[in-house]
Amino acid sequence: MPYFLLTEVAVGVLAGGSNATASLPLSLAAYAAALPLIAVTGLFRLVRPMSVAAARALCGVPGERFAEGPARSWAARGRTAVWWTLHLGVGALVSGMSLAVPPMAVVLLALPFVSALRDLPVGLGPFDAQAHPYVAPLLGIALLAGLVLCAAGAGALLARLAPVLLGPTAADRLAAAEERAADLAVRNRLARELHDAVGHALSAVTLQASAARRVLDSDPGFVREALAAIEDTTRRTVGELDAVLGLLREGDGVGAGGGGLPAAPTLAADLDGLLARSRASGIPITARQDPGPAGDWAWLPAIASREAYRIVQEGLSNALRHGTGPVDLRILVRVRGGQGEPGGNGGQGESGGYEELEISMTNDPAGAAAAAPGARTTGGRGLQGAAERAALLGGQVEAGPHEGRWRLRAVLPLGEGVR
């Protein structure tokens, strides 16, 4: 109606000030002039969500067949403009018929029974209602039936075209897939954080409590140290667990971008504490670190420091859970593809003079062999998570028997892409 009123005024002015409402040809001209104006406004991005809401409510089409959100591309805007024009154009015709036909049909139905109506100039084309008053009700019924059929036909047409014109385009499907992938990536990261933090804590606390129980009477100092480690481990783990569960409960950080994820421990700030808590379980752990000329791990890129810490944590968890002998941990930085690098070139891809971080952990194979991917009985989520963490940085993780011992080895590139 707003479009029609606007074009009706314009057509009336162009017709020399005539009243377009009183003239059927001028009204049809105003209707025709309104359609291009409708199509232009249908190109606005927010027209699609409004149209989708109306189509869902009125057309009886399943909601999943419609696109979500504003139109992103001009192709989607063009399809929306076609729908907008069709919806309003057909709706205007049906609305006009709904206003004009029922009063006319009532008059025709009552014509044989109300003598005052017989003096009215009631007719439809060549049909003269006064000359055939008892046939007029049939015409009234036909008009009402035609109105119902037109309305039903218009509704069926719009319901059929709604998902075609308002459905997702290729760009919409791609954007939805990217959003789902981002959401899944964040959820996977939360799952890894929970597994690594809680799994390691439970393994360490179990072994620390067991070791303390065995020497309760003979070594009170070790018992005090183990209890302090249990207290520190559980306090830290409860904090991490609360942070992750808070995100899952509130929905923050679960979506594109992964904003709002809790701060994770790093190799630079938390490695010493991790080693101390692990040693409190009674298993000897030898740690050899070579962070390069810097002397510590503070120079590492934040993401590499976080993922390296979690990989070390998972390796120690496997050693504590499955191993029976001492653990030998080695963390070093080397020049990839350069000369004199320790252990040879363990990386893959292009050679060059950039750095990589190598984490190597070995222990007694008597029980640790059970931690190999093919022999796991607990699902192997930890080793899989470690491999996923390394893959995020373009690195790799190897786990399995090596030279008579069981070894977990991770190589993390530290090139420009990581920095």
Side-chain angles (χ1 to χ4, degrees):
M1 185 60 70
Y3 297 101
F4 178 73
L5 291 177
L6 179 62
T7 55
E8 189 179 43
V9 171
V11 168
V13 172
L14 293 176
S18 302
N19 184 3
T21 306
S23 171
L24 180 60
L26 292 180
S27 295
L28 293 177
Y31 170 82
L35 296 179
L37 185 61
I38 294 172
V40 171
T41 56
L43 295 174
F44 287 97
R45 297 178 71 247
L46 295 180
V47 172
R48 188 171 73 174
M50 181 171 61
S51 299
V52 167
R56 280 176 173 166
L58 300 176
C59 292
V61 178
E64 62 270 14
R65 298 184 62 186
F66 292 110
E68 296 289 345
R72 294 181 172 87
S73 63
W74 282 105
R77 295 188 191 188
R79 290 167 55 185
T80 303
V82 173
W83 161 264
W84 188 241
T85 306
L86 182 66
H87 182 193
L88 270 63
V90 173
L93 294 177
V94 174
S95 298
M97 294 170 58
S98 300
L99 291 174
V101 170
M104 181 65 178
V106 169
V107 171
L108 293 174
L109 289 170
L111 190 62
F113 311 103
V114 180
S115 58
L117 295 177
R118 297 175 185 175
D119 298 330
L120 296 176
V122 179
L124 186 60
F127 176 78
D128 186 358
Q130 285 78 7
H132 308 279
Y134 294 99
V135 182
L138 297 177
L139 180 59
I141 294 173
L143 288 176
L144 291 177
L147 175 61
V148 171
L149 290 176
C150 288
L157 174 66
L158 294 177
R160 179 178 292 273
L161 293 178
V164 176
L165 298 175
L166 298 177
T169 63
D172 295 323
R173 293 189 182 93
L174 179 60
E178 290 175 347
E179 291 175 1
R180 287 193 297 270
D183 180 79
L184 181 60
V186 174
R187 291 183 182 276
N188 285 340
R189 178 179 170 184
L190 292 176
R192 287 197 302 268
E193 296 293 331
L194 281 175
H195 175 276
D196 291 350
V198 177
H200 173 79
L202 291 177
S203 299
V205 166
T206 300
L207 291 173
Q208 290 160 353
S210 176
R213 178 180 57 80
R214 289 195 300 268
V215 299
L216 180 61
D217 298 326
S218 60
D219 193 351
F222 178 82
V223 173
R224 284 192 295 269
E225 182 181 348
L227 291 176
I230 290 174
E231 179 184 3
D232 182 56
T233 300
T234 53
R235 182 185 296 112
R236 291 171 57 89
T237 304
V238 167
E240 293 185 46
L241 183 62
D242 285 343
V244 175
L245 292 181
L247 292 178
L248 293 175
R249 186 180 301 112
E250 299 172 7
D252 298 336
V254 180
L261 286 169
T266 63
L267 199 68
D270 303 282
L271 178 60
D272 292 340
L274 174 64
L275 294 174
R277 292 189 297 273
S278 300
R279 290 184 176 114
S281 64
I283 296 180
I285 299 176
T286 302
R288 292 179 290 174
Q289 304 181 47
D290 183 9
D296 55 36
W297 299 111
W299 66 271
L300 279 180
I303 184 173
S305 187
R306 289 195 303 267
E307 304 307 328
Y309 175 90
R310 289 303 193 192
I311 292 173
V312 172
Q313 185 184 54
E314 175 57 29
L316 290 175
S317 295
N318 277 287
L320 296 178
R321 190 181 306 118
H322 303 289
T324 57
V327 178
D328 181 15
L329 170 65
R330 184 180 67 171
I331 308 175
L332 57 90
V333 176
R334 64 185 183 181
V335 177
R336 187 177 184 181
Q339 296 180 353
E341 59 183 20
N345 186 359
Q348 294 181 351
E350 63 182 29
S351 62
Y354 64 89
E355 298 166 332
E356 63 183 8
L357 181 68
E358 179 180 348
I359 302 169
S360 180
M361 190 179 309
T362 59
N363 70 332
D364 196 318
R376 289 287 302 240
T377 59
T378 58
R381 296 185 181 89
L383 293 178
Q384 179 182 352
E388 291 174 353
R389 292 178 183 278
L392 289 175
L393 304 180
Q396 59 182 351
V397 168
E398 301 171 355
H402 177 74
E403 296 181 354
R405 307 196 77 192
W406 190 87
R407 182 182 71 165
L408 171 69
R409 179 175 179 271
V411 178
L412 309 179
L414 302 177
E416 294 299 326
V418 177
R419 293 179 185 277

